[in-house]
């Protein structure tokens, strides 16, 4: 994994594979781009992977984050034209993924939303509880980060290294950054017409044991209005499901969109590159 830049950037966690479809991961509120780690070996058999990294001092609006990410995607697209692009957003990143999908649908072939935080403003306990962050002393804020770990993840379903990686990522988020990103999620709005206007295939993944958001009911809402959406429920998973040992994102994608389709897309890219 590359070292994060001082500005918003794409990390390349695996060797470049331009003959494969491009998989772009938009991270949760930590913004590190490093919590796809347990999925990388399997995803890299089918995709050329990029992970968005958002600097801790970045206090950009949704529009600015969307604009900068679209610019990064455009650069990748121009480097290898015509290859399929899969955009995957987890939690906070799910909100950003939808912003990008609405603003630049032509850039994407497929959209994946994992326990998206799109219902944040509709959850009174989470919404108003998030305001407390700005009033906590710094030392208490750090303790609160550790205390939220059991709510954020099904720890018993994760390997020790993944638990430590999650904790480290959470602790890397400064109090100021947390306050701002909570504000972004509180302000996030999506309406039915926006969802109906996005006509590309969408995979909505929801954890049944999510203790942060009502991910299943939110997934049902999204699938109802996104014209080409389908839903996968992870019956035992928590919010940070991609770090769980039994969750295989590549297998889920293949199960919904099929091996044949993904192989055909790989062949299409290879033909473009004359490989």
């Amino acid at each position: 994994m590359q070292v994060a830049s001082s500005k918003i950037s794409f990390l390349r966690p695996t060797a470049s594979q331009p003959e494969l479809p491009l998989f772009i991961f938009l991270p949760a509120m930590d913004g590190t781009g490093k919590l796809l780690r347990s999925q990388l070996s399997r995803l890299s058999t089918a995709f050329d992977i990029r992970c968005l990294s958002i600097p801790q001092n970045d206090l950009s609006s949704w529009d600015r984050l969307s604009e900068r990410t679209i610019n990064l995607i455009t650069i990748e697209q121009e480097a290898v034209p015509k290859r399929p692009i899969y955009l995957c957003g987890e939690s906070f990143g799910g909100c950003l993924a939808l912003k990008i999908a609405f603003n630049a649908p032509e850039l994407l072939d497929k959209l994946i939303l994992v326990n998206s935080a799109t219902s944040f403003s509709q959850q009174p306990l989470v919404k108003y509880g998030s305001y407390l962050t700005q009033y906590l002393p710094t030392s208490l804020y750090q303790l609160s980060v550790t205390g939220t770990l059991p709510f954020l993840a099904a720890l018993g379903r994760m390997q020790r290294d993944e638990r430590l990686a999650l904790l480290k990522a959470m602790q890397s988020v400064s109090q100021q950054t947390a306050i701002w990103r909570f504000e972004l999620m509180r302000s996030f709005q999506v309406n039915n017409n926006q969802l109906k206007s996005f006509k590309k295939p969408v995979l909505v993944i929801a954890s049944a044991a999510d203790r942060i958001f009502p991910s299943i009911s939110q997934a049902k809402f999204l699938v109802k209005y996104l014209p080409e959406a389908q839903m996968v429920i992870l019956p035992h998973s928590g919010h940070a499901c991609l770090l769980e040992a039994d969750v295989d994102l590549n297998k889920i994608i293949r199960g919904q969109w099929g091996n044949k389709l993904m192989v055909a897309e790989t062949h299409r890219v290879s033909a473009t590159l004359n490989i």
Side-chain angles (χ1 to χ4, degrees):
M1 177 76 75
Q2 291 171 297
V3 176
S5 170
S6 59
K7 60 182 180 179
I8 189 169
S9 60
F10 280 159
L11 304 180
R12 297 190 181 196
T14 57
S16 182
Q17 302 181 88
E19 72 279 8
L20 296 179
L22 183 63
F23 183 95
I24 298 171
F25 177 67
L26 308 182
M29 203 179 88
D30 64 282
T32 64
K34 297 180 179 180
L35 291 182
L36 193 65
R37 45 180 284 155
S38 61
Q39 304 293 332
L40 291 175
S41 62
R42 291 164 291 194
L43 282 172
S44 64
T45 64
F47 297 104
D48 191 16
I49 304 169
R50 304 289 183 274
C51 296
L52 185 69
S53 176
I54 307 172
Q56 289 302 312
N57 62 353
D58 190 310
L59 303 181
S60 300
S61 66
W62 281 125
D63 288 342
R64 187 64 176 142
L65 281 175
S66 174
E67 178 186 357
R68 289 177 175 175
T69 307
I70 287 170
N71 289 341
L72 292 172
I73 297 172
T74 301
I75 292 170
E76 294 286 348
Q77 185 187 53
E78 290 173 349
V80 185
K82 298 183 179 180
R83 70 166 164 175
I85 296 178
Y86 289 62
L87 184 66
C88 176
E90 180 185 21
S91 192
F92 176 92
C95 298
L96 180 57
L98 281 172
K99 287 284 187 182
I100 294 167
F102 298 149
N103 291 332
E106 72 282 357
L107 286 180
L108 313 180
D109 288 86
K110 294 180 176 63
L111 175 65
I112 303 165
L113 303 173
V114 183
N115 293 327
S116 66
T118 46
S119 65
F120 192 100
S121 64
Q122 302 163 27
Q123 308 305 312
L125 186 60
V126 174
K127 178 181 178 180
Y128 294 112
S130 67
Y131 283 108
L132 295 176
T133 303
Q134 59 193 298
Y135 301 113
L136 293 175
T138 302
S139 58
L140 192 54
Y141 166 73
Q142 291 295 336
L143 285 174
S144 72
V145 169
T146 304
T148 59
L149 200 62
F151 296 93
L152 187 63
L155 299 178
R157 295 174 54 81
M158 297 165 57
Q159 300 291 337
R160 180 177 181 275
D161 286 350
E162 309 308 327
R163 293 196 296 268
L164 291 175
L166 177 59
L167 178 59
K168 182 178 179 181
M170 292 171 62
Q171 291 175 332
S172 73
V173 181
S174 71
Q175 188 169 7
Q176 181 187 25
T177 301
I179 291 168
W180 177 247
R181 290 179 185 171
F182 279 138
E183 174 59 30
L184 286 181
M185 288 189 286
R186 286 194 297 266
S187 70
F188 183 85
Q189 299 290 334
V190 61
N191 63 56
N192 300 347
N193 289 332
Q194 285 178 307
L195 295 172
K196 290 176 181 177
S197 70
F198 187 72
K199 304 297 178 64
K200 303 291 181 68
V202 182
L203 176 58
V204 183
I205 300 173
S207 294
D210 191 334
R211 300 176 69 186
I212 303 292
F213 300 121
S215 288
I216 291 181
S217 61
Q218 183 63 14
K220 289 178 179 177
F221 165 76
L222 293 170
V223 169
K224 179 179 179 181
Y225 291 103
L226 287 163
E228 299 296 329
Q230 49 193 309
M231 178 173 63
V232 170
I233 295 176
L234 306 178
H236 307 294
S237 292
H239 186 68
C241 61
L242 297 183
L243 286 167
E244 295 177 9
D246 293 338
V247 174
D248 184 339
L249 182 56
N250 187 47
K251 184 177 180 180
I252 293 170
I253 293 170
R254 286 189 286 107
Q256 296 304 306
W257 286 324
N259 282 317
K260 291 182 179 179
L261 176 60
M262 294 175 71
V263 169
E265 290 180 340
T266 300
H267 286 169
R268 187 175 104 198
V269 179
S270 298
T272 302
L273 295 172
N274 294 317
I275 294 176

